Structures are given as C-alpha cells and as structure tokens.
Amino acid sequence: MKVDYLRRARSILGLVLAVSAPNLFAADWWSDAVSQALDQAGTNRQELVQALQRTPEAQREGIQFLIANMPLRDLKSLSADFLVENVSLAYGAFEQAPWANTVSHEMFLNDILPYASVTEPRENWRKRLQELSAPLVKDCKTTGEAAQKINQRLFGQVNVKYSTNRRAPDQGPLETMQSGVATCTGLSILLVDACRSVGVPARVTGTPMWTDNRGNHTWVEVWDKGGWHYAGAAEADPNGLDRGWFGGSAAQAIKDDSQHAIYASSFKKTGVIFPLPWSRRADYVNAVNVTDRYAKPKPLDSTNMTLMINVLDHPGGKRVVSRVTVTDAANEDVRFSGTSKEEPADMNDHLAFRVPRQHAYIIEAVRDGQRHKQNYPGTTNAFEVVKVFLSNEESDADKMKLIVNVFDRPAGKRLAAEVVVTEVDDAKVQFKGTSKEKVSGRYDGLGLQVPKQHTFFVDAEYEGQKHRQYYTSRTNAQDNLTVFLGGYPPVRPRPADSYMPPSITKPLSAKDEAKLKTALIEFFSTPASNQAAWKFPGKFEKLLAKNEPAVRRAAWEAFCAAPIHSGMKEDFSAKQVHFNQYLSPYTLKAVGTHPADGWPLFIAMHGGGGAPQEVNDSQWRVMQGYYRDHPEVGGYLYLALRAPNNTWNGFYTGYVYPLIANLIEQFELFGDINPNKVFIMGYSHGGYGAFAIGPKMPDHFAAVHASAGAPADGIVPNTLRNTVFTFMVGGEDKDYGRVGLCTSFAESISKLRGNRSDIFPVSFQLVPDNPHTGLPDRDKIAEMYPNVRNPIPRDLTWLMTDDVIHDFFWLHVPAPGGGKEIDAICRDNRLIVTTRNGVAGSILLDNRLIDFKKPVTLEFNGQTTTRKLQPSLRTLCETLQRRGDPELAFTAQIDLPPAESPIHP
C-alpha cells in the first residue's frame, strides 16, 4: 500500500538524519547486538543512543540488554528519559534488597530490569510501584516472602479488583490502578511490576487455552529459594506460593501443544513466542515453555466428567455466591454440593464437581431465599460449563428481552405510548404493548420477548404523534431501547462560512493540459528514489504560478490515472481495506441521490471488541443498519466497517489510523466522494474508535461522533480546534469510568475554548438515566450532514501523542513523538509558529493560505525571518502522493526549524 511505502521511506530518511547528527557515535562502546538493534530503530535511533550515552558505566550492561532484546515497537518509540529512569531505579532497588546475593546477574537482567512483560502499554510505573511496595516488604528477608506480602496487601491498598469490565486485557499497571479493575492478565502485570520495583524476580505466566477449552488464564511466577513458584495475582493463598484454584487445570497442560502448553514471559530473546490469546498477531513476546513444572497428567477417565457451574442473578447479570446442589435424576442418593463463585473470582474459576458421565442431573441453586432448579441432560463430554439464573425467567437461547421506553423528546418525559414491534422480513411477526410513564429502575419498562439477531420496525404512537425507527436485536439476553417521539433533529442548512475549494476561472488549454498530465503521470509512476531529484520543465512551473486551481485538478486527475493503485483498486472492488497485515471488510450502500460535488461518506464502526469472532460479526451486522437513513438531507454513502480483529482496542490502536487513511483514499480514488465531506462515527467499541481517530487525524473529517465510548490513553482534546466533534454517554453507563472520562474531556475542551465561540466546535451530551445501550443517536447522520471540512484552517494546535501520525492539515513532521507540539497561525502572509520538545518538520503552503507575490514573514519560536516563496510542482505532487487527498496537497514548504533558527527546546 502507498501508506506503507511512505512510512518506510520516512524511516530511512530519519535514519540518514540520525547517522549524520554530529558526535552521535563519539562513544560507540556498545555490543554488535546493540548496533544491530539501533539499525532497526529508524527515526528513534538518536533517542536510544542518548540512553546509552547517559547511562552510568556500572549500569551499561543493563541498558545494552534492554536495547538488544526489546521488540521493534519499542526500538522505534521509547525515549531516552524513559529508559534511563527505568534502568537507574531498577539497579538502585536491587542493590538495596536483602536477597540480592541470592539472585543471579542474568536473572536480574531478564526478570527485574525489564519495563514490560507482554504487550501492555509502556508506562513509567517503576517509581510509583516502588513507593507503594517498598514499605510492604521492609521486613521481608526472601523474595518469596516479599512477593507474598505484596500480593496480599497491594491490591487492597490501591483498590484494584478482578472485573471483566476492564478496558483491555493487557492493561499497564498505572491504568489498572487508575481504573480499579483488571482481569487476570492486567492483575498479573501489576503484581510482576510491583515485585520488580523492589528487586524481586517475577514474570507473567499463562496458558492460551485450558485443555478443557473453557478459556485462557494468566498468573505470576516468582523466583525464590533456587526455583520458580507460582501465585494467582490478587489471589494470595495464606499458606504460601504454589497454591491456587487453577493448579488442577495446569496439571493437565500439554507441553507440545502450543494452545494447551504453559509459557512464562522472557525479555531475552528465546526463539519461543508466547501465543497470546488477546493479541494473536503479536510475534515479539518471547517466552519459555514451562509446562514440565506444572503438568501431572492423569489417566483418561472415561467414566466421569467435570461439571462446572456459575450462578448469575439474572440473564446477562453478575455471578453471585449461592449454595448449589447437583442430584442424579435417577438416584437422589447421589448428590454433590458446594458454593458458587461470585464476581471478583476469575471468569475461569468455577464451582466444579466430578460426576458420572451420561447421567441426567437436577441442579438447584439457593441464595437469600431465591431458589432455582433446572435439568441438565446426560453428555459424553469430559467438561461442561452450566449457567444457572436465580431469576424466575426462563432462559431461551433464541430470544431476548427487549425493554422499550418512550419519551416525548431527548431528556424529556416518559409517555404511555402504544408500541408495535414488527419483524422487517415477516410482517406477521408482531409484538405489542404500552410503554410505562413511571419505572422503578433502568431495567423497567415495556418488556417484550423477541427473537435474537432479527431486525424490526418499532412504531410508537401517543395522542396522534407517531414515530417509526429500526431496531436490530443482538445476542445478549436483554437490551434497552429508547424511542423519542420528537424524531430526528431538524435538518440544518449548510453553514454560510463553510470552506469552498477555489474555483477554476480559466481552464488550461487542451494542449497544455495534455502535456502537463503526461509529465505528471510520469512523475507518479517513477520510483521514489528518482522523484527526489525530479525537475519539471519551467513552462509547467509557470502554469502552476498562474493558475494553481486548474493545475491542482490536473495533478489529481493524473495521480488517479497513474498505474500505481492496483492494490487499492482490488481492495475497493472486494469491499475491504488493508494496512500491513491488517484487513477490514466493509459493507456499502448509497442513500438518496448523487450530489453534484461528489458523495459524502459516512464511516460507521460497530460495538463488541474483545469478544469471539461471531459476536463481533453480529455487531458489525447491527451497524450495517444502525443509523437510520436520511435521504431528505441529501445523498451520501454509508459504510459499515468491520474491525480488523477481535481485540479490545481493534478500532483504536496504532494500525487503525493508517488503515482509515487508506480507506478514505480508496474512496477518493474510486468512490467519487467529496473529500471535504467525510464523516466517522461509532457506538461502544466503535465509539472508542471515533474518540481516538477523530482527535488523532481531524484533518480527514467534516465531523466526528462517538457514542457510549470515552477517550482512551493518548487521546487529547487540543487537536480539535477546527473539527466538529460530538460525543454522548448515558448517565447510568457505569462501566470503565466512561461518564467521568467524558466529563473530564468536556471540561478540558471548555478550558481550551475559554471565552471564544469560534474554536473547538465540540459538544457533549450526557443522557440522564440511560445505560450503555439505547442512546438517542441513531439519527446522527441528519445532524452531521451539513458540516464541511476546512482543510486549511488559519490556526492549528498539534499536540502529538505517538509516532504514527506524520501530517496535520498544513503541517508535516517526519519523526513525530509523544509530547511534541506545534502551534501555528497563518494570516496576511505572516506565520507565527511555536514548537515544543524538539519538533522538526515543515510548513506547507499554497495560494489558499498565502499570496506568493508578497514576501512571507516567519516568526519561529520568537525569531523572525522573511523570505520569498515560489510554488513548486514537485511539492504539489509529493504532498498529493503522501496525503492522497487533493485538498491536502500544497505547493510550497518552509522547513522547521528554518536554517536561521535553532530547534526550540
């Protein structure tokens, strides 16, 4: 793909710049392995070299070990400050540990010094965890005693518990402590890092899948008294290490089966890759196969089976402690009893019984006076998990409970309206009732039992006022639907001050246009190595200076016609988009009639995330019809995008942004879209995606909307100065701290906006009494449609948070990085630019921003220079090729820092 090629080219350029930096290798004392790693670091090489040079001689072996063994993602992103601090704190803590003489130097390097264990975000955790853990272990004499003490007390001290409501399975320790929730992997990462912070060797251990296929699990190993010992994170056994509910399951592990073996993480490269169930494509986490220490296989028992039981308060509810009795249906004297596990227990930790196979059983659960019985048929399976619901509702695998509430308008009052739910594919299938004016809680309302995964018309009528909307049921046991009789918001006219591309007042002559396009196609078809020295004939440069709008259009048409888009054309025909190994299919439909200036494009992202394939596929199907059609506002294309994988952050991680850029370019090349009317939106998992994509790359969109999501790590509001961004969350949406995160984001926007009303067009809607589902957002297309992107706003604020995004409106940075920032103003041929944290890049200009007949004044970090600029056809082609967008192509550039000014610190 073009984006892939350009990123490689940028990396090569960054390497050249790094190598040419003065005195960079004045003290190249490091090993060949480190040199080889530096060669892979691209534009981040200089940061790693600084880390090597700044590390004291006594700690040099440690910094070398980290750089020689770190994965490529870290070679290209970690800063010198991060690495130097990590090494210094690790050495300092270990030297003070009373057990230091019992730990080998190799073990210190591999199991204490590293800053990460698996795929978690790289966080500066060591100092904070050392402050928390050192007081807990001050009287401990051995590593095992210290690990046990941390496991017993740290989680309560920082108020962290097990919960599947965490944001991601591989959370970093700081995020886990901030959110207060994690599952086994996040808890294990926190315990390992806490141990390492005080000099205790520890590593993340786990299995991709138990041999009974009920799930994966992660725990911790600690080095003590000459060997490795295991412990469940946040599950300290008072009797010490090597005890835990999962010991019996671990004993059945199979060493030579990659899915059923047990692995321990290793920072040192081992040649063995840890198969991580939450990130199956992660091929950089090294491991040791430690199955032999756990496996104690028993002879196959063909007579008995393991019956595992979970008790939930209601379908879709939470696990609760109950007294459970399992009675043989044919012989009531054969009875088994026990207590089920409640919510803080690991999701794979079940109440388990060994019972004879092919027997039918009666399962009874009792809790606080609630009692439920259900039958379990005989089976030949070796393992079986059964859910028992304490509520009296029958569990129907093919139906769900739809709870309908009708309001007169958003945030208005409830109405007793007549509701009819009709299946779209079979009008004979109907469900009717009257909605409630008063309810007792979030799960109260008109309840209807409807088939799962079907699409319905929902008609509501109250005192002559009618409203119809679509609803698609999902796979969950219960869902809430809110209907607003007020319908969709009124259609707003196009804003009077919307951006309009410069018109072509004088077309090129047919002869000039033909010759120009021939030269342009030749440029685009030439390898990048030859493009760098390319010179266009002077007559074409004169055409550009005299008639930029016409030449810009000719350049775009030549770019589209060049034989360089075959891969993207194949993807467009197959309705899919690629970036590197990531692939996302999509569905597409046209709504209304084709506008004269091209189709607006709405990209919609589904819910789901860290769930099985079939769940995310179902959520994708829901999104294909989630937002209601609004042909009355004008024609548009509606694209429902499938996430490229089934991970928690499938729509909001580094590969997503170039993938979305490729998708938009695909439609600019072949889809006849209006590049200034591209929109992106999503719900839940897709809402998190919109919350990430919008602020990261706002120069691609006319407007962005996020529902039932929140800003994830690395998402800042500063970049939304010029882009319409709306977000919505329910007041009763209690999971993952969404309400608090959204409220904080809105408060940050308010501070950035100050007393002005012309910047940061961002709005937040908190919907009272609304849970995670059923937000009033299905008519957002009508609200968003009038917006138009302005590709050349006069004021820019670009606060970078990673090394992925290289372009921002009319700014370009070959080596972006977290914490770098540019503030730029362009008015009346005067540029005022302020940078922070060593930004090097370029300002991109054209006739839309400046008058080439006049000198341009640049005030860069307080230093002023003046220059005369000339438009360049090669610059137009280079920026057009890099951005793939005719509105984000420019004809002149000024390098930052300019030759007359140093880089501002």
Side-chain angles (χ1 to χ4, degrees), residues 370-433:
Q370 283 185 292
R371 183 183 302 269
H372 181 75
K373 283 185 180 182
Q374 67 186 60
N375 296 322
Y376 174 74
T379 179
T380 58
N381 296 338
F383 306 91
E384 196 81 20
V385 179
V386 176
K387 288 183 179 180
V388 178
F389 303 108
L390 283 175
S391 69
N392 292 325
E393 298 177 10
E394 289 292 328
S395 176
D396 188 332
D398 298 321
K399 291 185 177 181
M400 63 167 291
K401 184 177 182 180
L402 176 63
I403 300 174
V404 183
N405 283 287
V406 181
F407 290 76
D408 60 346
R409 55 185 171 78
K413 64 179 181 178
R414 296 178 190 271
L415 302 174
E418 296 304 313
V419 177
V420 180
V421 178
T422 307
E423 192 165 317
V424 170
D425 295 332
D426 186 355
K428 296 178 182 178
V429 180
Q430 284 192 337
F431 309 88
K432 301 179 181 180

Side-chain angles (χ1 to χ4, degrees), residues 443-456:
Y443 296 111
D444 194 9
L446 168 61
L448 302 170
Q449 291 288 329
V450 302
K452 293 181 179 179
Q453 294 183 284
H454 284 229
T455 299
F456 305 91

Side-chain angles (χ1 to χ4, degrees), residues 569-583:
K569 176 62 174 176
E570 290 174 5
D571 277 352
F572 180 76
S573 298
K575 293 185 179 178
Q576 62 186 31
V577 59
H578 270 94
F579 173 69
N580 290 343
Q581 73 269 34
Y582 300 99
L583 182 148

Side-chain angles (χ1 to χ4, degrees), residues 651-668:
F651 277 133
Y652 52 101
T653 195
Y655 55 77
V656 170
Y657 313 115
L659 185 141
I660 294 294
N662 282 349
L663 177 64
I664 296 171
E665 182 177 352
Q666 187 185 111
F667 274 82
E668 289 180 340

Side-chain angles (χ1 to χ4, degrees), residues 21 138 181 334 349 549 632:
K138 61 183 177 63
V181 292
V334 178
D349 185 7
E632 77 286 350

Side-chain angles (χ1 to χ4, degrees), residues 331-592:
N331 184 359
E332 63 181 18
D333 292 333
V334 178
R335 182 171 297 182
F336 309 87
S337 61
T339 303
S340 62
K341 306 296 177 72
E342 62 183 339
E343 199 57 54
D346 188 276
M347 63 190 300
N348 290 309
D349 185 7
H350 313 286
L351 170 62
F353 302 108
R354 291 293 292 174
V355 302
R357 300 190 192 197
Q358 294 184 286
H359 283 229
Y361 295 95
I362 300 170
I363 303 174
E364 182 178 37
V366 179
R367 179 178 185 267
D368 296 338
Q370 283 185 292
R371 183 183 302 269
H372 181 75
K373 283 185 180 182
Q374 67 186 60
N375 296 322
Y376 174 74
T379 179
T380 58
N381 296 338
F383 306 91
E384 196 81 20
V385 179
V386 176
K387 288 183 179 180
V388 178
F389 303 108
L390 283 175
S391 69
N392 292 325
E393 298 177 10
E394 289 292 328
S395 176
D396 188 332
D398 298 321
K399 291 185 177 181
M400 63 167 291
K401 184 177 182 180
L402 176 63
I403 300 174
V404 183
N405 283 287
V406 181
F407 290 76
D408 60 346
R409 55 185 171 78
K413 64 179 181 178
R414 296 178 190 271
L415 302 174
E418 296 304 313
V419 177
V420 180
V421 178
T422 307
E423 192 165 317
V424 170
D425 295 332
D426 186 355
K428 296 178 182 178
V429 180
Q430 284 192 337
F431 309 88
K432 301 179 181 180
T434 303
S435 60
K436 298 182 178 181
E437 285 186 305
K438 296 181 179 180
V439 297
S440 58
R442 60 183 292 188
Y443 296 111
D444 194 9
L446 168 61
L448 302 170
Q449 291 288 329
V450 302
K452 293 181 179 179
Q453 294 183 284
H454 284 229
T455 299
F456 305 91
F457 293 118
V458 180
D459 292 286
E461 182 175 357
Y462 178 79
E463 295 182 352
Q465 192 174 6
K466 299 179 181 180
H467 179 70
R468 165 173 278 194
Q469 65 187 64
Y470 285 93
Y471 171 76
T472 301
S473 56
R474 294 177 281 179
T475 57
N476 45 321
Q478 181 172 298
D479 197 9
N480 288 54
L481 174 66
T482 303
V483 177
F484 299 102
L485 284 180
Y488 53 82
V491 178
R492 295 185 295 120
R494 177 177 175 141
D497 58 350
S498 292
Y499 168 82
M500 291 288 290
S503 58
I504 299 175
T505 57
K506 184 179 180 182
L508 299 174
S509 70
K511 181 179 179 180
D512 284 343
E513 184 173 358
K515 290 183 177 180
L516 174 61
K517 284 186 176 180
T518 299
L520 291 166
I521 291 174
E522 185 180 358
F523 173 87
F524 291 125
S525 305
T526 298
S529 57
N530 296 333
Q531 288 179 348
W534 193 277
K535 289 187 177 180
F536 285 97
K539 60 182 179 180
F540 294 150
E541 300 287 2
K542 290 180 181 178
L543 279 179
L544 175 63
K546 292 180 179 179
N547 196 349
E548 184 181 294
V551 173
R552 179 187 299 274
R553 186 174 70 177
W556 172 246
E557 291 174 354
F559 178 67
C560 294
I564 56 176
H565 309 298
S566 58
M568 196 167 280
K569 176 62 174 176
E570 290 174 5
D571 277 352
F572 180 76
S573 298
K575 293 185 179 178
Q576 62 186 31
V577 59
H578 270 94
F579 173 69
N580 290 343
Q581 73 269 34
Y582 300 99
L583 182 148
S584 283
Y586 57 79
T587 62
L588 186 71
K589 68 177 178 179
V591 178

Side-chain angles (χ1 to χ4, degrees), residues 83-102:
L83 292 168
V84 171
E85 178 183 288
N86 179 81
V87 170
S88 175
L89 290 172
Y91 272 92
F94 183 65
E95 289 166 1
Q96 297 176 20
W99 49 79
N101 60 355
T102 69

Side-chain angles (χ1 to χ4, degrees), residues 154-162 173 176-182 187 190 234:
L154 177 66
F155 293 96
Q157 183 175 325
V158 297
N159 196 28
V160 167
K161 64 180 181 179
Y162 179 95
T176 292
M177 289 192 291
Q178 181 181 21
S179 65
V181 292
L187 296 173
L190 174 54

